[in-house]
Amino acid sequence: MAAIDRSPSLEILVRGLEGFSLWNGPPFRNGEPGIKIEKVPCSNVNFSEDGSRLMVMKPDSVISINDCSSYKEIRSFQIPNLSAATLSPCGTFLQTFQKASTPQEKNVILWNTETGDPVYQQFQKNMTKATWPSIRFSSDEVVACRLATNEIQFFDAHDFSKGVVHRIRVPGLAAIELSKKPGSHVAAFVPESKGVPGSIQIFSCGKDSESQPIARRSFFRCSTVQLNWNRGSTGLLAVVQSDVDKTNQSYYGESKLNYLTTDGTYEGVVSLRKEGPVHDVQWSYSGSEFAVVYGFMPAKATVFDKKCNPLLELGTGPYNTIRWNPKGKFLCLAGFGNLPGDMAFWDYKEKKQLGTTKAEWSVTSEWSPDGRYFMTATTAPRLQVDNGIKIFHHNGSLYFKKMFDKLYQVDWKPESPERFDEIVDLIKSIDSLKIEETKSQGQGSKSSQASMKKTSSNPPAQKPAAYRPPHAKNSAAIQAELLGEAPKEAMSKNALRNKKKREKQKEKKATEDAGGS
């Protein structure tokens, strides 16, 4: 019983035309998933980061918050003119954005999901990818901050009534990224302006710390950045993107991968072994290694350690996506989007490729929390046809496939990877199940075995020979005659059989004559 409590069952959220359903995750009984919740009408649905709460946006601007242990509703909110909503990592707070009619209207509200009370309100003119969610939390909800004009504002996450308790002044600030586990540092991006280079700066979140960056990296030709913290908050990867490539090698501009550490041991560009854009980068779950897909097609993929030393080359191919299994053992290298969907599965610990396959037209892709399965999905509105789900084993073999008329969203229910057994033990249990299945299949009924023998005794029908036009039948003889060679007669099967019979008769007659003499 202890093993069952320690390893929770997997769950899959599926949203289609009629609302969302919740499936029991793999392994499936009889090859089909069990339905835990059947088609609830909604316009959007999301889990909290830790998987403890489920937010359902229903018609008429109603938001329902459900406890994921029983899926019973905890609280519902009626919010008019709703544009967006999101849960905090542990599901303690609900953050909503409404269309504001006047600047005096506070249209961003932070609600307590247990009591239903608003704990903080503010005005925000518009919502962009850089400014939403407005209030950012660390994974344990200990640290909370927001991006303001030329500064980062910090709150007491346990008492928002105190307002802003701490500020870090950053002139020209355009984007921030708070580290997750723990929320000890925040990264700030300042774009290039009037000949002054752009920069990425790392600050400590502590109230007593000085408002000076503990790490900084400056650069020209930068319009956007992607900031990626590792688990442990010791390293930051920043993909710096420029809209224009001055070398004219790429229509999509140029990109560089920068790496900064919180202890100041490394601040610089990661040395990549092929020219071209940085397609994707991801940290391992341990935060000790990161993998990068980069370069002009066919792209190259490499795993680096925390000191930017290459550890493993994953080869080249039509790839632009990399996904690291939560246990840190397996990697999936894929080419989605405008690429044909090739996938290569690697065992990082053993440093070998496990298998290759394809998942065409995939829009989303992610490993299961236990690290055993890899799920891809083709969803609307990105693609309006061929919507469906595919689930693969860790080695790339297809486990499950289901097509939909319209599919909008597919997600694994988040779970901590530590709650699951080690992947080696899981693979052994899978292999033992496979052996048992093969034995049971081998012990079929006598009638089925007899029918199999009967069908195998009948040889398959031979395909008809390809058509040859009349002028091509003697082409070999004509070619031999032109080259001065003896023409080779094209004989039919019957003629060839008769010829062999005649040769055997001649040999038999010759041996009889020799014996008589």
Side-chain angles (χ1 to χ4, degrees), residues 8-257:
S9 59
L10 298 175
E11 294 176 11
I12 301 173
L13 186 148
V14 180
R15 181 166 66 91
L17 276 172
E18 299 177 2
F20 84 92
S21 301
L22 198 68
W23 295 357
N24 289 316
F28 300 139
R29 290 184 179 180
N30 304 321
E32 287 294 326
I35 307 299
K36 198 165 188 177
I37 297 177
E38 184 73 51
K39 292 178 185 175
V40 179
C42 69
S43 58
N44 198 4
V45 58
N46 280 298
F47 287 106
S48 60
E49 187 182 305
D50 66 348
S52 63
R53 298 285 186 269
L54 180 69
M55 179 194 73
V56 183
M57 295 176 68
K58 296 181 178 179
D60 303 324
S61 300
V62 174
I63 298 178
S64 173
I65 308 298
N66 299 271
D67 183 359
C68 289
S69 60
S70 61
Y71 289 102
K72 290 182 179 178
E73 186 178 280
I74 301 171
R75 185 75 53 183
S76 67
F77 299 84
Q78 178 81 41
I79 302 172
N81 301 320
L82 182 68
S83 295
T86 185
L87 284 170
S88 61
C90 299
T92 310
F93 302 103
L94 169 69
Q95 191 171 171
T96 59
F97 181 93
Q98 298 165 269
K99 294 175 184 176
S101 53
T102 62
Q104 290 75 29
E105 183 182 353
K106 294 181 178 179
N107 60 334
V108 174
I109 305 176
L110 194 67
W111 309 82
N112 187 306
T113 56
E114 290 287 343
T115 63
D117 299 327
V119 295
Y120 180 78
Q121 301 179 52
Q122 67 175 49
F123 170 74
Q124 186 170 314
K125 187 176 181 180
N126 50 29
M127 180 182 64
T128 64
K129 193 176 180 181
T131 59
W132 183 256
S134 180
I135 298 172
R136 315 287 177 94
F137 289 89
S138 59
S139 293
D140 52 9
E141 295 186 359
V142 171
V143 180
C145 67
R146 71 178 284 259
L147 167 67
T149 305
N150 296 325
E151 68 180 17
I152 306 170
Q153 299 176 349
F154 290 87
F155 302 89
D156 183 341
H158 301 291
D159 188 2
F160 279 88
S161 62
K162 294 179 181 178
V164 178
V165 296
H166 174 47
R167 304 171 194 264
I168 297 177
R169 181 81 178 165
V170 187
L173 181 65
I176 63 170
E177 188 67 30
L178 179 65
S179 63
K180 298 294 182 184
K181 293 184 179 181
S184 53
H185 297 85
V186 62
F189 166 62
V190 178
E192 179 184 356
S193 176
K194 298 178 181 179
V196 179
S199 66
I200 295 172
Q201 304 170 53
I202 295 178
F203 297 90
S204 175
C205 293
K207 193 174 181 179
D208 301 327
S209 61
E210 298 180 5
S211 298
Q212 295 297 321
I214 58 175
R216 181 190 178 103
R217 175 73 180 161
S218 301
F219 32 71
F220 285 100
R221 299 200 304 276
C222 171
S223 52
T224 58
V225 294
Q226 297 173 28
L227 303 171
N228 299 278
W229 281 102
N230 71 336
R231 184 181 169 85
S233 306
T234 57
L236 175 75
L237 289 169
V239 181
V240 179
Q241 181 80 32
S242 171
D243 294 333
V244 179
D245 183 5
K246 290 195 173 183
T247 62
N248 293 323
Q249 288 183 299
S250 174
Y251 175 79
Y252 300 100
E254 62 177 330
S255 56
K256 299 286 183 184
L257 181 61

